[in-house]
């Protein structure tokens, strides 16, 4: 029987997620501007974001399956946390010094692979540690740290300006110094937060029966791949239904992250010229409103816990996605920076729910001994929509969307509303409240 953990034990267990999400926040807020600074074409931006979904597709299911089979003196999941965090810190240190577009894109592949090595074992770790009735507080606390980490990642360049750094100072590749320092701070957070979790939270020891069952399984990555294929064939129906929800919400979020800065630059500053002051100002504004929606996600994730327990993760998630859909559709109509914070409330609540409630629905329907592999496969439902978005959006960006980044944000809103409807069709296995 797993021991029941206190709230603060759950917090300590999830602090490592803060560093992982600070890294993801830097990517979301800074990669499109970095690519533009290095000369990328606006319509080709989705192709340059291919690293995240491709590494997620390849790495997370394999690492999740391998972590289910791993036996070390430190546990099943711990080695993956540490290796991923070290590689992620090195990638963050190198990224803002990229002299060319191809080098930045290559470093993003390394950075995303490192984050993915850590991510899925971390989600399995939470499920390993907690009793079923604590899954909601566990995954929504993880969601809260997602919001906090990404809040600070988005806000760091603006904080550096407020502390006296020159927002217009750039290096030889036109990358602002404030962005370079933000990535260096991210490297420190990435490794230190994971080390805190490893120091304060140990994995539950496996029983002799569990160890014997794991030793009886053939080792090696080829057998891990076979385990993935078997798990896909035996996938619970709830998980299959959630795939449609994730198709809509992650296609939408990728559209939003790639084009929100360009949309604000067009709407508020009348330019997408990366050499202009208006473009840099749009970057700071996108960071500030992004920080705000992530702060809403940080606060909202914990506020959603009683709502989720009362109404269930399905209703909660549907409401949050609907709020985000309306919010995204309204953004291109706003021409005053201060008013942008209103729709960010809806996006923040949706982001909190996206990072928590689907996992609450998932955790109750998968066998505990295969948590790692199923969490990895579940990530495929994130990255496949992203890959679809990458290869389809450039095909109709100019013809159907008029080459206007504002229309990409409107499209994201429509897709969020589709996701809100799709989640109502999911049939979930009930767990104790």
């Amino acid at each position: 029987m797993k021991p029941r953990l206190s709230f603060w034990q759950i917090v300590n267990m999830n602090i490592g997620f803060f560093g992982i999400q600070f890294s993801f926040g830097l990517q979301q807020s800074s990669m499109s501007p970095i690519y533009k600074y290095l000369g990328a074409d606006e319509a080709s931006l989705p192709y340059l974001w291919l690293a995240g979904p491709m590494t997620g597709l390849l790495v997370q299911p394999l690492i999740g399956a391998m972590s289910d089979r791993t036996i070390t003196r430190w546990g099943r999941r711990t080695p993956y946390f540490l290796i991923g965090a070290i590689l992620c810190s090195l990638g963050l240190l190198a990224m803002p010094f990229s002299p060319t577009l191809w080098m930045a894109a290559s470093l993003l592949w390394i950075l995303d692979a490192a984050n993915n090595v850590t991510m899925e074992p971390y989600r399995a770790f939470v499920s390993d540690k907690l009793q079923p009735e604590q899954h909601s507080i566990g995954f929504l606390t993880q969601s809260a740290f997602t919001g906090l980490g990404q809040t600070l990642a988005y806000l760091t360049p603006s904080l550096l300006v407020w502390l006296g750094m020159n927002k217009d100072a750039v290096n030889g590749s036109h990358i602002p110094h404030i962005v370079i320092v933000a990535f260096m701070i991210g490297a420190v957070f990435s490794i230190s937060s994971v080390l805190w979790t490893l120091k304060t939270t140990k994995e539950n020891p496996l029983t002799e029966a569990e160890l014997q069952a794991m030793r009886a399984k053939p080792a090696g990555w080829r057998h891990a791949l076979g385990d993935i294929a078997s798990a896909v064939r035996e996938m619970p129906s709830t998980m299959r239904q959630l795939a449609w929800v994730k198709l809509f919400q992650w296609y939408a979020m990728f559209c939003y992250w790639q084009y929100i800065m360009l949309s604000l630059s067009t709407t508020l500053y009348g330019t997408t010229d990366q050499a202009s002051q208006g473009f840099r100002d749009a970057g700071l504004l996108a960071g500030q409103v992004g920080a705000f929606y992530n702060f809403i996600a940080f606060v909202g994730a914990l506020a959603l816990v009683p709502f989720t327990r009362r109404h269930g993760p399905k209703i909660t998630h549907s409401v949050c996605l609907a709020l985000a859909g309306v919010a995204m559709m309204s953004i291109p109509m706003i021409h005053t920076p201060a008013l942008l914070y209103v729709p960010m409330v809806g996006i923040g609540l949706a982001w909190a729910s996206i990072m928590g409630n689907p996992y609450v629905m998932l955790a109750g329907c998968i066998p505990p001994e295969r948590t790692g592999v199923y969490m990895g496969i579940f990530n495929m439902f994130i990255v496949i929509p992203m890959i679809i978005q990458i290869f389809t959006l450039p095909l109709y960006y100019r013809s159907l969307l008029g080459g206007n980044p504002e229309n990409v944000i409107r499209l994201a809103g429509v897709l969020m509303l589709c996701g809100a409807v799709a989640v109502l069709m999911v049939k979930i296995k009930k767990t104790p409240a």
Side-chain angles (χ1 to χ4, degrees), residues 17 123 136-148 150 249-250 253 257 292-305 308 313 316-317 320-321 324 344-361 416:
F17 220 67
R123 292 202 182 278
S136 60
I137 181 65
F139 286 114
L140 286 169
T141 300
Q142 207 169 75
S143 180
F145 276 112
T146 296
L148 180 60
Q150 295 192 10
Q249 71 187 27
W250 286 104
M253 290 306 301
W257 291 329
F292 182 74
Y293 91 66
N294 277 287
F295 178 75
I296 294 296
F298 167 58
V299 175
L302 298 179
L304 287 176
V305 172
T308 297
T316 303
H317 196 48
C320 290
L321 291 184
M344 294 300 140
V345 174
I347 296 173
L349 289 174
W351 187 228
S353 188
I354 286 170
M355 296 303 293
N357 278 314
Y359 296 93
V360 177
M361 290 184 260
M416 279 293 192

Side-chain angles (χ1 to χ4, degrees), residues 53 56-58 60-61 120 231-252 354 358-359 362 365-366 373-388:
L57 182 65
L58 300 173
Q60 288 203 28
E120 238 34 58
V232 170
R233 289 193 300 269
E234 300 163 10
M235 189 185 303
S237 60
T238 298
M239 194 170 171
R240 295 179 188 276
Q241 293 160 359
L242 283 168
W244 289 102
V245 181
K246 301 192 87 172
L247 171 63
F248 292 120
Q249 71 187 27
W250 286 104
Y251 195 115
I354 286 170
Y359 296 93
L362 176 69
C365 75
I366 56 177
V373 66
Y374 272 118
M375 286 290 180
I377 292 170
F378 201 51
N379 182 70
M380 294 169 67
F381 299 162
I382 298 175
V383 300
I384 289 174
M386 292 179 176
I387 292 170
I388 293 171

Side-chain angles (χ1 to χ4, degrees), residues 221-233:
W221 64 269
R222 290 184 179 86
H223 295 290
L225 288 175
D227 196 20
I228 293 170
S230 171
V232 170
R233 289 193 300 269

Side-chain angles (χ1 to χ4, degrees), residues 324-338:
V326 173
M328 289 179 179
M329 293 176 70
S330 71
I331 288 173
M333 297 186 290
I334 296 174
H335 298 277
T336 304

